[in-house]
Amino acid sequence: MSFKDDLEDLETAEDFLRFLGVTYEQRVVNVNRLHILQRFHDYLSADTGMEGLDDEGMAARYGAHLERAYQDFVVSNAIAEKTFKVHQDEAKRMADRFVPLDSLLPT
């Protein structure tokens, strides 16, 4: 079986983390599993250098992207990272509502 075939059998965030050799804390995964997987997907989608890699090279690249995605949520949180559109939309709404303090002061 090839690396890609093995990937098709993975279902959970923990499956991906174990398969790709990423050490993780369960509490981080419990809170951020979908965000980690989405960020992992985003990193993979942006990686244009995987064509022509053998299974070992591809596994190393996938592992690096998953490690990076996991670490994003170790040092931050889902709202700050704005992984999903709902978070991006909320950040935009909050920015649109911002009123500078000096605009409230009498001139």
Side-chain angles (χ1 to χ4, degrees), residues 40-48 50:
F40 174 48
H41 174 268
D42 295 345
Y43 288 151
L44 287 173
S45 295
D47 188 338
T48 58
M50 284 201 271

Side-chain angles (χ1 to χ4, degrees), residues 5 8 17 25 31 40 46-47 57 67 73 85 93:
D5 291 334
E8 290 179 13
L17 290 159
E25 291 182 41
V31 174
F40 174 48
D47 188 338
E67 174 71 32
F73 296 96
K85 186 171 180 349
R93 277 193 292 279

Side-chain angles (χ1 to χ4, degrees), residues 2-105:
S2 72
F3 174 74
K4 290 274 192 167
D5 291 334
D6 290 340
L7 279 178
E8 290 179 13
D9 295 333
L10 306 178
E11 295 179 1
T12 66
E14 291 88 346
D15 289 345
F16 280 91
L17 290 159
R18 280 190 299 271
F19 179 74
L20 294 169
V22 176
T23 303
Y24 64 94
E25 291 182 41
Q26 191 63 53
R27 68 173 181 75
V28 174
V29 176
N30 288 346
V31 174
N32 298 296
R33 72 181 61 252
L34 294 177
H35 301 281
I36 292 167
L37 291 174
Q38 180 62 49
R39 181 63 58 85
F40 174 48
H41 174 268
D42 295 345
Y43 288 151
L44 287 173
S45 295
D47 188 338
T48 58
M50 284 201 271
E51 300 81 29
L53 290 177
D54 61 7
D55 282 357
E56 186 176 311
M58 195 168 292
R61 190 76 62 95
Y62 271 61
H65 288 312
L66 184 55
E67 174 71 32
R68 183 176 169 205
Y70 171 76
Q71 287 300 320
D72 288 347
F73 296 96
V74 168
V75 299
S76 189
N77 63 60
I79 295 170
E81 291 297 316
K82 300 173 191 70
T83 310
F84 291 107
K85 186 171 180 349
V86 65
H87 295 125
Q88 295 164 4
D89 292 348
E90 182 60 23
K92 184 175 180 340
R93 277 193 292 279
M94 293 302 290
D96 291 344
R97 291 185 204 156
F98 178 76
V99 178
L101 181 60
D102 51 334
S103 72
L104 299 174
L105 300 173

